[in-house]
Amino acid sequence: MRITAVIPVYNEAATLGTLHSELRQVAAEQGYELRIVFVDDGSTDDSWRVVSRLAGEDPRVLGIRFRRNFGKAAALSAGFDAVEDPVVITLDADLQDDPHELPLMLAKLNQGYDVVSGWKQVRNDPLGKVVPSRVFNWMVSKLTGVKLHDHNCGLKCYRRDVLHEVRLYGELHRFVPVLAAARGFKVAEEPVNHRPRTHGSSKYGATRIIKGLLDLITVKFITGYGQRPQHVLGSAGLASFLIGAGGMTLLAVRWVASRVVAGWEPVHLHETAMLYYCLGFVLLGAQFLSVGLLGEMVTAFLSRDMDTYSIAEHTPPASAEFPKQPQRATDPSC
């Protein structure tokens, strides 16, 4: 089995040698043809020096160094661009992900899945990190329909086809299974061993929760309405517009009635709070509709050069009338 391990690195000089040794040991025991890609995401310690040494000693190691810290999603994306093998695994460089779990992960992948995400059933992390993570994972599963216990586990296995169709940016690395499922790929999870941290400290703080929630909104939108933004924006805008227009119609009827019907209490629209609420709903609705229309135009423009579908396989050509294999350009960043 030909496998490439993509490992983002940020100030993990103390663990890289051990991680490399463990990966080589597992590959030798299982008969894997394993390549390792270390992506140094702007480390300020000796991480790049260690990566350079490992690459010099082992021709199956590739090192990529960023000019500065761009984030884990960028590091994974750069590593994926360097992959040529049909199977890709990712794991963190802090040794909490156990390389000896790879045979189970790959066995699960061979059961017909395209993505296998690790599930840290027993986490060796502080309670302040475990509880928010469980709440976040529950929210992601409920909102996206991809029911995984641990969306943010660094230990994952992919078929390379997945990485050709899933584009990472920002901090969407934790949502790769969700993005893959939205393209029709089969996603599963496998319980894995989670080891306690023995070197360094966690790179994530309290802001991670806020960023994760904002990213969840983004993922929900692009997976559900990425090709039809007007359906959600236009629906909200139309509802708002109708509420405002309906309220203003009632106010107009009351104003006319106060002028025509004898004994009707006079209505002074400029002194009526409802008028301003209705105007606000009308303006908000118009803005939503306009933004939705702009979103549709941008989507239509960008869709000219990209596929809005995902092909699983082709049948063999039945005659010479059909080409053997469809020829189309593939953007490696998608």
Side-chain angles (χ1 to χ4, degrees):
M1 183 178 290
R2 294 168 48 210
I3 307 168
T4 296
V6 176
I7 305 172
V9 177
Y10 183 63
N11 294 340
E12 301 287 0
T15 62
L16 296 179
T18 302
L19 179 58
H20 173 262
S21 299
E22 290 184 351
L23 286 170
R24 298 308 321 164
Q25 178 186 355
V26 173
E29 292 174 352
Q30 301 295 325
Y32 301 148
E33 184 179 339
L34 178 66
R35 297 175 179 84
I36 304 174
V37 179
F38 289 109
V39 183
D40 185 351
D41 186 22
S43 297
T44 56
D45 64 354
D46 290 332
S47 294
W48 180 246
R49 186 177 302 175
V50 176
V51 170
S52 299
R53 176 177 60 81
L54 293 174
E57 298 172 352
D58 186 348
R60 292 162 294 188
V61 172
L62 171 66
I64 300 174
R65 183 187 184 191
F66 286 172
R67 298 182 186 277
R68 63 171 179 84
N69 180 257
F70 286 93
K72 189 174 182 179
L76 288 173
S77 183
F80 294 158
D81 287 344
V83 169
E84 297 180 355
D85 294 325
V87 176
V88 181
I89 62 172
T90 63
L91 64 165
D92 294 335
D94 55 13
L95 296 182
Q96 288 195 274
D97 294 333
D98 189 351
H100 294 88
E101 298 289 341
L102 294 183
L104 290 176
M105 300 280 289
L106 294 171
K108 189 78 171 183
L109 192 73
N110 288 331
Q111 292 178 12
Y113 295 102
D114 302 296
V115 180
V116 177
S117 179
W119 171 18
K120 297 171 287 190
Q121 284 184 304
V122 179
R123 293 192 58 168
N124 288 285
D125 285 322
L127 190 63
K129 185 177 179 181
V130 173
V131 174
S133 178
R134 288 179 177 173
V135 173
F136 177 76
N137 286 316
W138 176 83
M139 291 179 60
V140 175
S141 297
K142 286 294 183 181
L143 289 177
T144 65
V146 181
K147 300 187 181 302
L148 299 178
H149 291 86
D150 192 356
H151 286 267
N152 199 40
C153 181
L155 184 57
K156 291 182 173 69
C157 293
Y158 307 94
R159 298 193 186 278
R160 189 177 60 176
D161 293 343
V162 175
L163 307 179
H164 284 170
E165 299 193 23
V166 174
R167 178 173 175 265
L168 296 182
Y169 62 92
E171 295 189 10
L172 298 187
H173 54 274
R174 60 176 66 90
F175 298 107
V176 174
V178 175
L179 297 173
R183 298 287 294 178
F185 292 104
K186 296 181 179 180
V187 179
E189 65 180 352
E190 179 69 24
V192 295
N193 177 40
H194 186 238
R195 301 187 292 195
R197 179 183 287 275
T198 57
H199 298 83
S201 59
S202 176
K203 307 301 187 297
Y204 301 100
T207 58
R208 176 191 181 189
I209 300 175
I210 299 175
K211 292 179 180 178
L213 292 176
L214 294 175
D215 288 336
L216 176 58
I217 296 173
T218 300
V219 169
K220 177 61 178 177
F221 187 87
I222 63 178
T223 56
Y225 303 97
Q227 295 297 321
R228 46 194 180 97
Q230 185 71 303
H231 283 197
V232 60
L233 295 174
S235 298
L238 188 60
S240 178
F241 189 89
L242 291 176
I243 291 173
M248 294 184 71
T249 301
L250 290 177
L251 287 175
V253 170
R254 285 184 57 192
W255 184 85
V256 171
S258 69
R259 295 295 188 273
V260 175
V261 180
W264 194 285
E265 182 181 354
V267 175
H268 303 287
L269 293 181
H270 66 281
E271 297 178 355
T272 305
M274 184 178 176
L275 172 65
Y276 301 100
Y277 288 124
C278 292
L279 286 173
F281 275 112
V282 170
L283 293 176
L284 183 63
Q287 289 179 339
F288 269 118
L289 288 168
S290 300
V291 172
L293 180 59
L294 289 175
E296 289 284 349
M297 295 174 65
V298 171
T299 301
F301 177 80
L302 295 178
S303 297
R304 299 181 307 173
D305 300 320
M306 62 180 292
D307 291 337
T308 57
Y309 52 83
S310 177
I311 298 176
E313 58 183 326
H314 295 273
T315 58
S319 67
E321 296 178 2
F322 295 93
K324 292 184 178 180
Q325 184 71 23
Q327 299 296 320
R328 62 185 180 87
T330 302
D331 185 353
S333 65
C334 297

